Amino acid sequence: MPPVDTEHFLGNLDQLRTIGAYKTGVHRPTYSTEDMASRRWLMTEMEAVGLEPTIDGIGNVLGRNREPGPHLLVGSHIETQNHAGWLDGALGVMTALALARAGLPVDVCAYADEEGHWGNMIGSRSLVGDLSEEDIDKARNREGKPLRDALKTAGLAGLPRLALEPARYRGALEIHIEQGTQLESKGLRIGVVTGIVAIRHFKIVFEGQQDHTGGTTMAERRDAALSAVRLMAAIDTEFPKVCGERSVWTTGRIVVEPNQPMIIPGRAELSFSFRDLSETVMDRMEACLRALVRESNRRERSSATLEEVSRLKPELCDDAIIGALEAAAEMLCPGAWQNMQSGALHDSQVLARLVPVGMVFVPSIGGISHHWSEDTKREDLELGCRVMAEAAMRLLAG
Amino acid sequence: MPPVDTEHFLGNLDQLRTIGAYKTGVHRPTYSTEDMASRRWLMTEMEAVGLEPTIDGIGNVLGRNREPGPHLLVGSHIETQNHAGWLDGALGVMTALALARAGLPVDVCAYADEEGHWGNMIGSRSLVGDLSEEDIDKARNREGKPLRDALKTAGLAGLPRLALEPARYRGALEIHIEQGTQLESKGLRIGVVTGIVAIRHFKIVFEGQQDHTGGTTMAERRDAALSAVRLMAAIDTEFPKVCGERSVWTTGRIVVEPNQPMIIPGRAELSFSFRDLSETVMDRMEACLRALVRESNRRERSSATLEEVSRLKPELCDDAIIGALEAAAEMLCPGAWQNMQSGALHDSQVLARLVPVGMVFVPSIGGISHHWSEDTKREDLELGCRVMAEAAMRLLAG
């Protein structure tokens, strides 16, 4: 195998960031014009390195290796959050291309919509057989647009959907930016992921009574936003008592209606999620949340309803793949790597249901991600790519 | 004077509610097509009762009485909040028309944008000389659209702006729905307003760091929405310790950025206002708010900035007008009326700077206002109209 061409790899990353460029980041929401342009560009690049590219009915782009096995599946995603960073996802796909270019027997895949514009990991879930036609019929984005319409506009309607062939692969590898500051704060350059956290995502809706702020006494009010604020404040107080050391919880989205300065909110909606590697801790946090919602309904004059949006189990990475990644990291940056868990979700978590998976992290400057200013040092990107190539060779040789 | 024609009056209200009808309410935001249609319709109705109608450069519609004085100024507003009720404002303007139709020497006025789509009482403030051309240049609605553009589209650009002629009037009268439940809960039908509360309105902006919810530990986070929630929870705890008996406070608007379930909010903005008839109580509440924002900046990792949006002093109604309204109420519904303060702002508060003012309230069913289901019994609407006519006669005779 020739050495991996990291200059070409960085060049590819720079080319990809010009599609949907926004400040120093990119804006390529799934199935947008920019996203589809990037998928077509990726297929051309796959051709150029000798792969056989296909795009399927949900937007997954798979470049199949033409050589006999054993194979590895290497990939990530190429769509982005709105006005977000240039590396989140793109790094994993461009690294996979670099491995193929170096002659390694890998299939390269860009799993569609990891960022969840239209649901929850619909690309990789489709590959593992966990996305029905009914799921697609029902799916809407946050503006209420049907997924079917988006697929039609993107030219994907009617295309067959690919199914993962577990027997084809020794395992699935993914490299991703850390999206945190653990590596940076310790001066480390590589993280070998041991597991991906569980996540539970809930919608909490408060129904009160919309009213005039001047004419309605405090005692008469049924302020839905105030009830929501009290619940969030209670979570802020109570979750630290039941959480684990690395648990996180977030209210990322708050929608108040009618959201006018001089009107008492009649409705409020929260998107609340929490994460941990331990199901026991997750169960404790969920029990706490449910108790606080019940308490809210006892105390408040606005009613609260809790609705589960999604639930993902934690997934442990494969020991053999962890071993290969550790050996590669120790060879290429001795002492400058660590094991860690992934607090963020990745497609690998879904693929792990059918194939052994492993992941590598490189540092995020300032820990910033999901923002256009997201960045990683170029030498860390190169190192990550080389660690992936070295680990792949070890796995294929093993 | 012939008796006031309450059937015609109710008919007018029913006609007006067809313009921009939404469910059982209306949608006529200021300067919208529907709002301008209602202003043109009003001018036709003014003509029909013998008034001389003018629309001015900010949208105020004034119907001048052609008879010699003394005169009264009677009016309210006809635009609405979004998807709101059919009586808020409309009642006052249709009552004024009914008084003119009955031959009373009143000028009828629909003050523009009392509902604050484009600022704060810009119509009545323009009339009393408290709205400069620079204020108009700067004004934007909540979507960021310039007021100048809206005036141009509405065909108002370049029209002269009217100035109130204080010497022309014995006083200014306004009838309005209560927008609360005080009258209804006591079984009363008329409220004679003694004063209109002060209001102070602030914008509070929190700047944190947008980040990925999975990769960022709780300790590392600078969650702007969480800091905002903690401030709102502190207000919820502390304001009851400093407020007056009838004080109210509201966070009506919460804007979180980017407002995505899986992204830590980097920015949050609150619209917070509070009201009371006593300036001493208002000062106490403002001092409490400022202390809580300072405390937030000491404790939180997101910075909070407090910006004053507007500040209105309380206004007491005129004793002679109160007396005339009380006498009229006692004559027409003995024992079924009360004195009360107005928790809501009205144009009368602005007019009070130049002329004596008085206000009448009729009950709101269930206290509901600023919502399409807002309503008042038809017999209460008729009674309110008759009380206004009777009080106007007494004032003009006095």
Side-chain angles (χ1 to χ4, degrees), chain A residues 142 181 210 220 260 370, chain B residues 142 181 210 220 260 370:
Chain A
R142 281 186 281 273
T181 58
Q210 178 175 326
E220 287 165 347
Q260 301 289 330
H370 284 188
Chain B
R142 281 185 283 273
T181 58
Q210 178 177 326
E220 286 165 349
Q260 302 288 329
H370 283 188

Side-chain angles (χ1 to χ4, degrees), chain A residues 131-151:
Chain A
L131 187 77
S132 67
E133 291 298 314
E134 292 68 40
D135 291 338
I136 298 176
D137 289 339
K138 280 188 289 183
R140 301 280 183 280
N141 72 358
R142 281 186 281 273
E143 286 74 48
K145 185 177 168 184
L147 173 55
R148 287 284 183 204
D149 292 358
L151 291 172

Side-chain angles (χ1 to χ4, degrees), chain A residues 309-387:
Chain A
V309 177
S310 63
R311 170 180 299 254
L312 271 174
K313 287 187 191 168
E315 284 294 347
L316 295 179
C317 293
D318 178 74
D319 284 341
I321 300 182
I322 293 174
L325 290 167
E326 288 173 345
E330 184 59 26
M331 182 181 118
L332 294 166
C333 59
W337 63 276
Q338 71 170 6
N339 288 118
M340 60 194 300
Q341 70 177 57
S342 170
L345 290 189
H346 297 288
D347 290 304
S348 295
Q349 189 161 14
V350 176
L351 303 177
R353 300 184 206 166
L354 297 188
V355 289
V357 303
M359 283 194 78
V360 170
F361 281 166
V362 292
S364 294
I365 294 172
I368 294 167
S369 182
H370 284 188
H371 188 271
W372 54 263
S373 63
E374 163 194 289
D375 206 4
T376 294
K377 288 183 194 159
R378 291 177 95 81
E379 58 265 35
D380 287 340
L381 297 173
E382 289 179 308
L383 176 63
C385 185
R386 286 203 303 270
V387 167

Side-chain angles (χ1 to χ4, degrees), chain A residues 182-196:
Chain A
Q182 290 185 69
L183 292 174
E184 184 182 72
S185 63
K186 295 178 190 163
L188 301 177
R189 300 181 64 197
I190 292 287
V192 174
V193 176
T194 52
I196 305 174

Side-chain angles (χ1 to χ4, degrees), chain A residues 20 24 28 53 63 80 91 93 116 121 141 155 181 210 237 266 271 273 288 312 339 386 391:
Chain A
T24 65
R28 288 195 307 262
T80 70
L91 170 61
V93 182
M121 306 264 174
N141 72 358
T181 58
Q210 178 175 326
T237 309
S271 257
S273 62
C288 178
L312 271 174
N339 288 118
R386 286 203 303 270

Side-chain angles (χ1 to χ4, degrees), chain A residues 81-83 88 115 117 142-143 178-182 185 199-201 209-218 220-221 223 225-226 228-230 232-233 236 246-256 258-265 271 273 275 310 342-346 366-373, chain B residues 81-83 88 115 117 142-143 178-182 185 197 199 201 209-218 220-221 223 225-226 228-230 232-233 236 246-256 258-265 271 273 275 310 342-346 366-373:
Chain A
Q81 291 276 352
N82 295 329
H83 308 107
D88 183 348
E115 293 294 1
H117 292 276
R142 281 186 281 273
E143 286 74 48
E178 181 197 345
Q179 310 181 286
T181 58
Q182 290 185 69
S185 63
I199 175 162
R200 298 184 192 174
H201 179 195
Q209 175 62 52
Q210 178 175 326
D211 233 323
H212 187 282
T213 55
T216 317
T217 61
M218 296 310 281
E220 287 165 347
R221 293 179 177 209
D223 182 334
L226 183 57
V229 162
R230 286 173 180 159
M232 284 187 277
D236 187 40
R246 287 282 306 170
S247 306
V248 293
W249 56 95
T250 314
T251 304
R253 180 169 157 88
I254 304 174
V255 177
V256 171
N259 217 27
Q260 301 289 330
M262 296 302 156
I263 306 185
I264 298 169
S271 257
S273 62
R275 300 170 191 231
S310 63
S342 170
L345 290 189
H346 297 288
I368 294 167
S369 182
H370 284 188
H371 188 271
W372 54 263
S373 63
Chain B
Q81 292 275 354
N82 295 330
H83 308 106
D88 183 349
E115 293 294 0
H117 292 276
R142 281 185 283 273
E143 285 74 49
E178 181 198 343
Q179 311 182 284
T181 58
Q182 290 185 68
S185 64
V197 295
I199 175 160
H201 180 193
Q209 175 63 53
Q210 178 177 326
D211 233 324
H212 187 283
T213 55
T216 318
T217 63
M218 296 310 281
E220 286 165 349
R221 293 180 178 210
D223 182 335
L226 182 58
V229 162
R230 286 172 178 160
M232 285 187 276
D236 186 40
R246 287 281 307 171
S247 307
V248 293
W249 56 96
T250 313
T251 304
R253 182 171 155 86
I254 304 174
V255 177
V256 171
N259 216 28
Q260 302 288 329
M262 297 300 157
I263 306 185
I264 297 168
S271 257
S273 63
R275 301 170 190 232
S310 64
S342 171
L345 290 189
H346 298 287
I368 294 166
S369 183
H370 283 188
H371 188 271
W372 54 264
S373 63

